[in-house]
Amino acid sequence: MSYRFTLQADASRICDHFGVTQLLAYVQSDRDYVPTGSVSAICLKGGQRVLDEFRWGLLPYWAKTAVQTDGRSLLNNKSFGYMLKRQRCVVPCSAYYKVVPAERRNRAPYAVMLHEGEQPLAMAGVYDVRISPQGEELRSCTILSVPSSAPGFEEDVPMLLGPKQMEAWLSPAFMDAEEVRDLVETIAERQPKPQLRALPQAAKDEGESIYPFPAY
């Protein structure tokens, strides 16, 4: 099982909506993003919001938390302590999907990710930077998740950020461990309710069915 998301917005629109002042990533509108591929994420560098390119999936690639990570579980994971305090990012998206193996295709499809207006959504994430043996900078990120609050829907969904929550998530003011804990807990508790709608199978991809996640 793997995850995907789409982004139906160009670089200009993303920069305007998220207040990005420096563009370091190539953004292709109306594109599907897959694990281990390149994604665009917003982080703070030198006091400026920068849209940079990251590998979706933390290294090492075999880590269980590589692509999607429960936001609250990170609070007790020492290996993520530095990233939570100093390397938080925002991943823009329009819809977030789960790819279901063919043998489970008879499961009911999930609802499409809908939201008011046409502006991109902001998913909370953290990133890591490593130097390869060849001296190359390797940037990777993971998307934080929370359990769905929809009755009967037991699935983790991306932790979404409202405008004020995004300001706090990218702010360097939150670096103390307890402040970061309170920030994560507050964001997780204030997630909007998902809107679930039964839909037919969205697409097929090499024997797998792609079903959209519910949205906030």
Side-chain angles (χ1 to χ4, degrees):
M1 184 183 302
S2 61
Y3 303 94
R4 301 181 181 183
F5 68 90
T6 64
L7 180 59
Q8 299 175 342
D10 58 21
S12 176
R13 186 173 167 193
I14 293 174
C15 290
D16 289 343
H17 181 65
F18 292 105
V20 172
T21 56
Q22 189 175 4
L23 184 64
L24 298 179
Y26 170 73
V27 179
Q28 179 181 348
S29 181
D30 197 13
R31 171 189 166 187
D32 288 337
Y33 292 86
V34 299
T36 72
S38 296
V39 300
S40 300
I42 302 163
C43 57
L44 202 68
K45 293 183 180 180
Q48 294 187 358
R49 288 187 183 179
V50 177
L51 186 67
D52 210 342
E53 192 172 271
F54 294 84
R55 176 190 186 275
W56 184 17
L58 293 175
L59 299 171
Y61 67 89
W62 44 259
K64 291 182 179 180
T65 53
V67 173
Q68 178 176 294
T69 309
D70 180 82
R72 285 190 168 110
S73 70
L74 292 189
L75 298 173
N76 301 315
N77 191 326
K78 293 182 179 180
S79 62
F80 283 89
Y82 187 85
M83 282 185 277
L84 268 177
K85 289 187 288 185
R86 297 179 179 272
Q87 294 177 178
R88 299 186 294 268
C89 64
V90 172
V91 183
C93 83
S94 298
Y96 193 81
Y97 300 84
K98 179 175 71 175
V99 179
V100 182
E103 61 269 19
R104 296 176 57 188
R105 194 180 302 169
N106 59 347
R107 292 184 58 182
Y110 302 125
V112 70
M113 178 175 272
L114 300 172
H115 60 284
E116 294 294 330
E118 298 180 353
Q119 298 295 353
L121 301 169
M123 299 187 292
V126 294
Y127 68 92
D128 191 22
V129 179
R130 297 190 177 205
I131 304 299
S132 71
Q134 295 75 31
E136 179 185 5
E137 186 177 79
L138 303 175
R139 298 184 300 277
S140 60
C141 68
T142 185
I143 294 170
L144 272 57
S145 64
V146 292
S148 169
S149 59
F153 185 80
E154 298 179 356
E155 196 71 64
D156 288 346
V157 292
M159 182 185 291
L160 298 182
L161 303 168
K164 291 184 178 180
Q165 292 174 333
M166 189 180 72
E167 291 285 344
W169 190 250
L170 293 177
S171 173
F174 295 91
M175 289 189 180
D176 178 78
E178 288 302 317
E179 291 178 338
V180 172
R181 177 179 294 275
D182 291 343
L183 178 62
V184 172
E185 292 287 358
T186 299
I187 292 174
E189 291 173 1
R190 295 182 181 177
Q191 292 290 296
K193 299 290 183 181
Q195 299 177 10
L196 302 182
R197 295 186 184 181
L199 293 176
Q201 179 176 316
K204 293 182 179 180
D205 179 28
E206 297 181 356
E208 295 181 316
S209 300
I210 302 176
Y211 294 133
F213 269 114
Y216 295 95

